[in-house]
Amino acid sequence: MESTKLSYDQEWVIQISRAIEEGLEESDEEGVPVSIFSVPKSLISFKPEAYIPQLIALGPYHHQRLELFEMEHYKLTSAKRLQKNLHPIKFCHLVNHIAESDSTLRACYHRFLEFDRETLAWMFAIDTSFLLEYLHTYSAKTEGSLVRISSKMAHLIDHTRRKTAHHAIVGDIIMLENQIPLFLLREVHKFFLLHEDHDQALATMLMGFCKDLLPIKYINYQHFREECFERAHLLELLYHMFAPKLQLVPDCEQEEPKADEEIGWFRKALKSFLAALIYINLAPLRLLSKICKSKAIMLLVTLPFTILSYVLHLGNKGTWKVHLRSCCGLESINFDNCCGKFYLPVIHLDDNSEVVLRNLVAYEACIAPEVMIFTRYTELMNGIIDGEEDVRILREAGIILNRLKSDEEVATLWNGMAKSVRVTKVHILDKAIEGANTYYSGSWKVRMIVAMKKYVFGSWPCLTFLAANTLILLSTLQAACTMYNCSKIFKAL
């Protein structure tokens, strides 16, 4: 045991000393921002499978996981196909080329990478070969050896993008911890196409990938080629395509509980009390109606309960609902106070949407931008959607295009999306939310519920005392009438 520990310590010292020596000779990593992070534990604890690769590992973070080892065979198949395209150049030449960028590659990752230079270069060469073969399914071209998928890979990758395995792979590819630097993807791609416009071909593939995966499709692709290679990796490319750059607004102060939540809690408590009160007093009320030979007393006694129940029922139907309209993107979210229209971007949801959305939130949390607009957007949608009824309204309004099994799955997707993430004010979204809340608060139904909360529920001890005495009085009256046969007395009168 001691000898094993000693050899491990010696290996660690060798690696560290080598890294320091190489750092003195090279300064490529200076100025290279960290872009590939570990997902915060506060996020990963809610749904680990949305952040941890389930089928394939790309890059160093999950390279040694045994449950993903099966896919190594298919990654080697992609590397062999690349070797054929490189002929007479050998694959090891590509590995050596990647090794020259070792310090720059390491600087992209938040974690310390324990692999030596050669191991890391081979890892990146093989993983990038597979990623490029996968991305070729999004190419506009339909001919050429690179576009044809080998028979060994046909069950995993296809141009129609309909196979289950294909969707499972894309879910892993877009995860934050599974990213490969885009500059490396660009360099390796040059070894594929020796006589063509490398950047144009790769930009076409990346554009097809983004179009297929982006939840919000309204994107300006006019300057895509010039801008796409400025991004660090695929997830960052997705993020910057529809997260507009906005100015910073000071951090949010501690927000008061939402009016909807307070009203919902009050409504449930009051409805439960009314139901119990009516049930308990059903027998005395029937007795009173028999005694008086009329339903007048029954009507008078139950009328307040009926009105309260009706108002609460209206509140339960979602009085916040306004006229929903679609808009172009996150920066176009708006609420029109004049006509009560809420403008929201159209969002496409499918099997990979939750993984995409959650990893975009995780990436935004890691880079800590001045304005966390995407996180704020997920909070807005989470606030609007409580259940499948809300999803149905948004779907019928054309805001949500649902390709999942049910509206209930969509509601589950949004609930809790942005938990444990620092939030900043986003002027555009906050203004729309404030306008919708003001419009909602001006409704007479909401005013009535708020008034009930303030004046009725605020007097709860008094109401409880009166209800208890009423029950005692009615019970006493019932017992007396049973004993003295009140119905005959009233007939005589």
Side-chain angles (χ1 to χ4, degrees):
M1 180 66 70
E2 292 182 359
S3 59
T4 303
K5 183 178 184 301
L6 182 61
S7 61
Y8 174 82
D9 292 341
Q10 291 176 345
E11 183 179 352
W12 180 84
V13 171
I14 293 173
Q15 291 180 357
I16 294 299
S17 60
R18 181 185 302 172
I20 293 176
E21 291 176 359
E22 292 173 351
L24 294 175
E25 298 175 359
E26 302 178 6
S27 58
D28 294 342
E29 71 275 12
E30 293 182 4
V32 178
V34 174
S35 59
I36 304 174
F37 305 88
S38 300
V39 177
K41 292 183 179 180
S42 58
L43 289 178
I44 206 171
S45 61
F46 289 106
K47 195 166 188 178
E49 62 271 22
Y51 307 98
I52 300 176
Q54 302 295 303
L55 187 62
I56 185 170
L58 296 175
Y61 282 177
H62 297 276
H63 176 69
Q64 295 180 332
R65 283 180 54 200
L66 295 178
E67 57 269 34
L68 304 180
F69 187 75
E70 182 180 352
M71 285 299 297
E72 295 299 315
H73 171 70
Y74 298 101
K75 291 195 290 186
L76 286 176
T77 301
S78 297
K80 292 176 182 178
R81 294 192 68 216
L82 176 58
Q83 171 68 77
K84 292 180 180 179
N85 285 277
L86 289 175
H87 185 76
I89 304 174
K90 295 184 178 180
F91 193 84
C92 62
H93 294 160
L94 171 61
V95 175
N96 293 334
H97 179 75
I98 294 175
E100 294 176 358
S101 303
D102 181 77
S103 58
T104 304
L105 287 169
R106 292 177 185 273
C108 295
Y109 290 85
H110 180 259
R111 295 185 196 171
F112 174 75
L113 305 182
E114 298 180 351
F115 307 98
D116 59 41
R117 172 184 290 209
E118 184 179 7
T119 302
L120 200 63
W122 277 96
M123 179 197 309
F124 277 125
I126 294 173
D127 290 357
T128 307
S129 300
F130 178 88
L131 181 56
L132 280 172
E133 183 166 18
Y134 182 89
L135 290 176
H136 269 290
T137 63
Y138 296 92
S139 175
K141 298 184 178 182
T142 57
E143 57 183 19
S145 60
L146 292 177
V147 180
R148 293 195 301 267
I149 304 301
S150 65
S151 57
K152 292 183 179 180
M153 306 283 285
H155 69 290
L156 295 176
I157 305 174
D158 69 309
H159 289 285
T160 62
R161 299 188 287 276
R162 297 176 181 174
K163 295 183 178 180
T164 303
H166 188 97
H167 287 281
I169 291 175
V170 76
D172 284 352
I173 285 176
I174 207 60
M175 290 182 180
L176 176 58
E177 296 187 356
N178 234 13
Q179 294 303 300
I180 289 180
L182 194 55
F183 83 87
L184 177 63
L185 198 68
R186 189 180 184 184
E187 287 294 318
V188 175
H189 186 255
K190 292 180 181 180
F191 286 80
F192 276 96
L193 303 176
L194 301 178
H195 305 291
E196 298 185 23
D197 187 344
H198 317 290
D199 287 348
Q200 180 60 41
L202 182 57
T204 300
M205 292 187 291
L206 294 176
M207 181 184 296
F209 178 79
C210 291
K211 284 182 177 179
D212 185 64
L213 211 59
L214 278 173
I216 300 176
K217 305 295 184 182
Y218 188 86
I219 304 297
N220 184 3
Y221 294 97
Q222 185 176 1
H223 304 289
F224 181 84
R225 174 176 173 174
E226 292 77 10
E227 297 178 357
C228 69
F229 297 119
E230 297 177 2
R231 306 308 172 192
H233 46 72
L234 293 177
L235 184 62
E236 182 178 296
L237 178 61
L238 283 180
Y239 176 80
H240 284 284
M241 286 189 69
F242 65 93
K245 296 180 180 179
L246 302 175
Q247 294 182 352
L248 175 67
V249 177
D251 291 345
C252 296
E253 297 179 357
Q254 185 67 30
E255 297 181 357
E256 297 181 357
K258 295 181 179 178
D260 290 351
E261 295 178 355
E262 294 179 351
I263 293 173
W265 175 76
F266 163 70
R267 179 168 57 245
K268 291 179 181 179
L270 189 55
K271 286 179 71 175
S272 300
F273 169 74
L274 293 175
L277 188 60
I278 293 175
Y279 179 79
I280 294 173
N281 289 280
L282 188 59
L285 292 175
R286 286 178 178 174
L287 178 61
L288 288 176
S289 64
K290 289 180 180 179
I291 292 175
C292 299
K293 296 299 182 181
S294 173
K295 295 183 179 180
I297 294 180
M298 189 71 167
L299 179 62
L300 290 174
V301 174
T302 59
L303 183 59
F305 300 122
T306 304
I307 294 175
L308 290 175
S309 298
Y310 176 70
V311 172
L312 292 172
H313 176 71
L314 289 177
N316 193 39
K317 285 296 183 181
T319 55
W320 65 268
K321 301 297 187 296
V322 293
H323 299 290
L324 297 169
R325 296 291 185 271
S326 61
C327 63
C328 299
L330 297 184
E331 69 275 14
S332 300
I333 293 177
N334 184 36
F335 183 81
D336 190 341
N337 293 295
C338 298
C339 53
K341 293 181 180 180
F342 207 150
Y343 292 90
L344 295 169
V346 179
I347 184 166
H348 300 244
L349 298 177
D350 55 29
D351 293 336
N352 284 317
S353 295
E354 182 171 11
V355 174
V356 174
L357 294 170
R358 285 184 176 273
N359 280 272
L360 286 171
V361 170
Y363 173 72
E364 189 175 57
C366 290
I367 62 174
E370 292 182 340
V371 179
M372 299 180 67
I373 184 171
F374 188 77
T375 302
R376 193 62 167 157
Y377 166 71
T378 59
E379 287 193 334
L380 169 61
M381 295 299 291
N382 185 29
I384 291 176
I385 298 175
D386 289 327
E388 55 183 324
E389 175 65 17
D390 300 319
V391 176
R392 181 189 64 80
I393 294 173
L394 291 169
R395 178 170 48 79
E396 292 178 352
I399 304 300
I400 289 180
L401 299 182
N402 184 16
R403 295 176 183 172
L404 296 174
K405 295 179 181 179
S406 64
D407 292 340
E408 184 178 359
E409 284 193 16
V410 177
T412 303
L413 182 153
W414 284 109
N415 291 335
M417 180 71 70
K419 289 183 177 179
S420 302
V421 176
R422 178 184 63 85
V423 179
T424 59
K425 284 188 176 180
V426 181
H427 177 70
I428 294 176
L429 273 64
D430 290 345
K431 184 178 179 181
I433 295 171
E434 183 180 356
N437 288 335
T438 302
Y439 184 87
Y440 164 70
S441 301
S443 170
W444 68 268
K445 300 174 186 177
V446 177
R447 289 182 178 180
M448 184 175 295
I449 295 176
V450 173
M452 289 167 54
K453 172 191 170 184
K454 182 177 181 180
Y455 298 108
V456 178
F457 194 72
S459 305
W460 190 254
C462 181
L463 291 176
T464 304
F465 175 78
L466 292 176
N469 282 274
T470 301
L471 290 175
I472 295 173
L473 178 62
L474 293 175
S475 300
T476 303
L477 181 60
Q478 180 184 16
C481 289
T482 302
M483 183 178 298
Y484 296 105
N485 200 357
C486 295
S487 58
K488 292 183 179 181
I489 298 175
F490 280 95
K491 283 183 180 180
L493 294 177

